Amino acid sequence: MELSLLDWSIIVGFLLMSLIIGISLKGKAEGSLANFFLGGRNLPWYIAGISMVATTFAADTPLAVSELVAQGGVSKNWLWWSFLAGGMLTTFFFARYWRRANILTELELIDIRYSGKEARFLRGFKSVYLGIFMNSMVIAWVNLALNTLLITFFDIPESQVYYYTFGAMAVAVTYASLSGLLGVAITDTVQFIIAMTGTVVLAYLVLDAPEVGGMATLTEKLPAHYFDFFPSLDEGATSNIHVFSLSMGAFLAFVGVQWWASWYPGSEPGGGGYIAQRMMAVRTEKDSLKATLFFQVAHYVLRPWPWIIVALAAITLYAPEYAIQDTATADLIYEMKAAGSTMDEVMIAIPTSNEIVVNKAIQYAYNQRLGYVYAMQDFLPNGLKGLLLVAFLAAYLSTISTQLNMGASFMVNDLYLPFMAKGKDVDVIKVSRIATVVLMVTGLMVTTQINSISGVWEFIMEAGAGLGAVLILRWYWWRINAWSEITGMIAPFFAYGFGHLVLDPALGEGFVNNKGTFYFTVLFTTFAWVVVTKFTKPVASDKLAQFVTQIQPDGWWQPVYKQMGAAVPKSNMKMLFGLWVSAMVMTYSLLFAMGKWIFGETSGALIWGAIGFTGMGVLSLLMKRMKW
């Protein structure tokens, strides 16, 4: 793609702005680890909330949504929409606890909640697993998405693209290591505004293009199922243009079990990762709830629709059945793909009367993510190309800088200081900056070794099934101990292996399609950690008493209160449950209302909007009654 001087000026100006913000805030990151990793616990709630949204908006996210929509319509977004229940659970049941804990990292919770050598082992192990291994995997995933954009836009050879990725990471590591979380959060806010502006502009230009003809024409061109908000529960509903269909078992796994049972980066049951870091960085526990609530609403209601619009338009522009006039040629592409032919083999076999159109159609048939990239190439004028590239750079930098800062916090606070420093007088800020650079180098090394990790994420989701219950109950049940969490981390790997190697072949396609192994893993893991909890010693009484005094948790803590000689406080569980349900009703309804409005279905938009604002009213009333 050819970029004008204006495009390059916009890109360079954005990178310089990010560096200037980091340099200007360097002084506020000095003095303590809390200043460096939590912004001095003084972040405004809206900055923390926007930072959460910006972090989840990585360079690959619009491309991934394009692929989902192309494969199964709007409803296939339920693969991630289903996590709203877990997000709202974190908002109302855990956000105030994370801030009240007054800890530096999520792993420090282990130290104030559990006792014994097993707790020390758990904290050290998770500091390496989450701080180095998982962070490197996330960084590699985001780097691969940036590589795809660089190769497509600039025709950069794959052998050289890593140098450009290194340059982008160097910008992120510079401002992240200088200004800490405060600089990351401020740049996140600016970057999110730029990223959303760019994606909205692209959606408008693509929809307004003569080749698309507006939303009314788009809804006429595409089959109606592409605009459905809910998946079909008919497993046999398939065609060349796929309906997103699920078995009842798979649907229940997504909406009823997965969000609370599985550990997944960014969607940890009970909170964790960069979400917990932002909750701990705000001024008050009320601010932690407001920041997390803002994140959930913006994440699900506002952010996805510009991507979905472009994804739907891309189907009519680049899918073979729409882009190629000859129906027989379009059918041949799908037939050869289904038969296992490579993309290059299809390109050789298909006659190319219009080489550019046909080649794009073939590439789109094999990789629907490219639809978003092609739309950027074909419909952005000079200046706006630079703006949207800046939007993707902004999305990339916000994710990378957060992972670097959070990973460094685990490495320093939960690995280096407790296990290596051993009471030495060290410059913790200098060590933190070194850790940030080390994590960048590690992430780059992992990036060069992999081509795709989508299978890894599916593995992580299933091999963490059942752990989520422990992460939730450690706040609400006194009997949970470090062995419970250790078992919850280890048991799923055994169940996952047994399920896929033994149960899947033995029980057949019905078992697989109904997510049988996933349910087996949840049940096995739950049974394992419950048994281990039963037959291991409880957490030391003084540790439990300190935790209760500091956190004042709800739930099953009566024996601890009794041993302390204190009265059991009145439960707030009913109110919290009401807040959780009303917030989900509000968010899902507003999500659907916005979609109906975009699709021109006024009556549907009004109905969903009315339900959403009713949920908002109930939520507001309950929030006013909540005690802090």
Side-chain angles (χ1 to χ4, degrees):
M1 172 184 280
E2 292 291 331
L3 295 181
S4 68
L5 179 61
L6 178 59
D7 293 318
W8 281 112
S9 299
I10 292 171
I11 294 170
V12 173
F14 163 75
L15 294 175
L16 287 175
M17 179 197 65
S18 298
L19 290 173
I20 290 170
I21 292 174
I23 293 170
S24 65
L25 294 173
K26 178 177 180 293
K28 295 189 177 182
E30 305 284 353
S32 70
L33 287 180
N35 287 344
F36 190 84
F37 289 123
L38 293 180
R41 303 187 194 272
N42 199 36
L43 284 186
W45 67 266
Y46 51 89
I47 296 293
I50 293 173
S51 182
M52 293 180 196
V53 189
T55 299
T56 60
F57 186 170
D60 66 299
T61 320
L63 280 63
V65 170
S66 292
E67 184 177 44
L68 292 176
V69 172
Q71 292 175 349
V74 174
S75 64
K76 196 163 186 179
N77 284 285
W78 274 101
L79 293 178
W80 64 277
W81 285 352
S82 61
F83 282 104
L84 174 64
M88 286 302 182
L89 195 78
T90 297
T91 300
F92 297 106
F93 285 80
F94 304 103
R96 60 203 176 107
Y97 289 162
W98 280 110
R99 182 61 185 86
R100 199 177 292 174
N102 201 37
I103 51 182
L104 191 71
T105 66
E106 65 165 297
L107 302 187
E108 197 173 330
L109 176 67
I110 295 170
D111 193 50
I112 70 169
R113 175 62 179 85
Y114 305 135
S115 61
K117 293 181 179 179
E118 62 272 23
R120 181 175 171 82
F121 164 79
L122 179 61
R123 185 178 178 185
F125 172 77
K126 292 187 78 171
S127 68
V128 175
Y129 178 72
L130 298 180
I132 300 175
F133 175 73
M134 285 305 306
N135 257 296
S136 297
M137 296 297 284
V138 172
I139 289 170
W141 169 268
V142 178
N143 281 346
L144 285 176
L146 181 65
N147 289 353
T148 300
L149 288 170
L150 293 174
I151 292 169
T152 304
F153 269 82
F154 300 104
D155 295 323
I156 297 172
E158 289 190 34
S159 59
Q160 299 178 18
V161 74
Y162 294 106
Y163 298 111
Y164 295 86
T165 304
F166 174 79
M169 284 196 76
V171 173
V173 79
T174 299
Y175 73 76
S177 62
L178 288 175
S179 59
L181 181 65
L182 180 61
V184 169
I186 297 298
T187 51
D188 277 354
T189 302
V190 176
Q191 289 163 358
F192 178 69
I193 293 171
I194 294 172
M196 284 305 301
T197 301
T199 56
V200 169
V201 167
L202 178 64
Y204 173 80
L205 291 176
V206 171
L207 198 60
D208 194 52
E211 297 91 333
V212 178
M215 184 56 70
T217 304
L218 187 62
T219 54
E220 291 176 2
K221 287 182 180 179
L222 290 175
H225 69 72
Y226 268 112
F227 302 91
D228 291 340
F229 290 162
F230 298 95
S232 168
L233 296 182
D234 178 9
E235 291 182 75
T238 58
S239 63
N240 274 349
I241 309 171
H242 294 289
V243 180
F244 181 44
S245 59
L246 289 172
S247 67
M248 181 60 74
F251 179 75
L252 291 176
F254 282 120
V255 302
V257 180
Q258 188 169 269
W259 57 267
W260 63 262
S262 292
W263 181 91
Y264 188 77
S267 298
E268 298 90 343
Y274 58 85
I275 304 299
Q277 186 186 36
R278 271 45 171 195
M279 290 188 289
M280 295 184 291
V282 295
R283 296 164 182 165
T284 67
E285 60 185 74
K286 186 174 183 179
D287 284 343
S288 70
L289 187 149
K290 290 164 66 176
T292 316
L293 179 60
F294 174 86
F295 160 60
Q296 301 299 338
V297 175
H299 178 62
Y300 290 97
V301 177
L302 299 178
R303 203 185 59 162
W305 285 113
W307 309 337
I308 292 172
I309 291 171
V310 175
L312 291 168
I315 298 169
T316 67
L317 292 167
Y318 307 114
E321 61 270 24
Y322 294 99
I324 300 175
Q325 299 293 328
D326 183 0
T327 304
T329 300
D331 290 341
L332 179 60
I333 293 172
Y334 286 116
E335 288 170 6
M336 292 186 68
K337 180 186 176 184
S341 299
T342 66
M343 185 173 66
D344 291 337
E345 289 171 342
V346 176
M347 285 185 172
I348 294 172
I350 298 295
T352 55
S353 57
N354 185 334
E355 186 174 342
I356 295 177
V357 171
V358 174
N359 283 352
K360 279 187 176 180
I362 294 171
Q363 291 179 59
Y364 181 83
Y366 275 81
N367 184 2
Q368 290 86 8
R369 291 183 175 220
L370 291 175
Y372 203 95
V373 180
Y374 290 154
M376 293 168 62
Q377 288 180 326
D378 294 342
F379 295 99
L380 291 175
N382 289 338
L384 289 181
K385 289 178 182 177
L387 173 64
L388 203 70
L389 281 174
V390 162
F392 273 86
L393 280 173
Y396 168 81
L397 290 174
S398 63
T399 303
I400 289 294
S401 59
T402 287
Q403 295 300 141
L404 291 173
N405 182 266
M406 183 184 68
S409 73
F410 293 165
M411 292 169 65
V412 175
N413 188 65
D414 303 297
L415 181 62
Y416 177 74
L417 291 179
F419 294 94
M420 300 177 186
K422 297 181 179 179
K424 296 178 183 177
D425 185 18
V426 296
D427 185 342
V428 290
I429 302 303
K430 182 179 180 180
V431 172
S432 301
R433 288 173 174 150
I434 293 172
T436 306
V437 175
V438 169
L439 190 58
M440 180 197 76
V441 174
T442 306
L444 278 172
M445 291 173 61
V446 174
T447 304
T448 62
Q449 299 302 311
I450 59 175
N451 296 315
S452 172
I453 59 171
S454 57
V456 175
W457 292 125
E458 183 179 348
F459 167 77
I460 290 172
M461 183 74 74
E462 287 204 23
L467 171 62
V470 179
L471 301 181
I472 290 172
L473 288 175
R474 64 184 177 179
W475 296 95
Y476 285 90
W477 186 25
W478 71 277
R479 193 60 181 84
I480 297 291
N481 59 30
W483 288 115
S484 310
E485 195 165 328
I486 292 170
T487 305
M489 293 179 66
I490 295 174
F493 288 91
F494 293 99
Y496 175 88
F498 182 79
H500 284 288
L501 295 176
V502 179
L503 296 182
D504 283 355
L507 299 179
E509 186 177 345
F511 182 79
V512 175
N513 291 342
N514 282 283
K515 303 278 285 185
T517 292
F518 173 77
Y519 287 114
F520 171 75
T521 303
V522 172
L523 289 173
F524 177 84
T525 303
T526 303
F527 175 79
W529 71 254
V530 168
V531 170
V532 168
T533 303
K534 174 70 175 177
F535 289 100
T536 53
K537 293 181 179 180
V539 174
S541 299
D542 59 338
K543 181 71 72 172
L544 290 175
Q546 291 172 8
F547 183 79
V548 165
T549 301
Q550 182 175 351
I551 304 299
Q552 301 174 39
D554 215 324
W556 300 277
W557 291 90
Q558 292 86 345
V560 179
Y561 282 108
K562 183 177 180 180
Q563 189 173 34
M564 294 169 58
V568 178
K570 184 179 178 181
S571 175
N572 290 308
M573 296 293 278
K574 289 183 179 179
M575 178 181 288
L576 295 174
F577 183 79
L579 287 164
W580 178 55
V581 172
S582 60
M584 284 194 294
V585 170
M586 175 191 72
T587 306
Y588 275 131
S589 298
L590 293 180
L591 169 68
F592 301 148
M594 182 167 286
K596 291 291 185 182
W597 175 72
I598 290 171
F599 296 153
E601 300 177 29
T602 306
S603 58
L606 290 174
I607 292 171
W608 282 113
I611 298 172
F613 282 107
T614 300
M616 185 185 298
V618 174
L619 178 65
S620 179
L621 288 174
L622 291 175
M623 286 277 286
K624 291 178 181 178
R625 294 174 55 190
M626 195 169 180
K627 295 181 180 180
W628 303 95

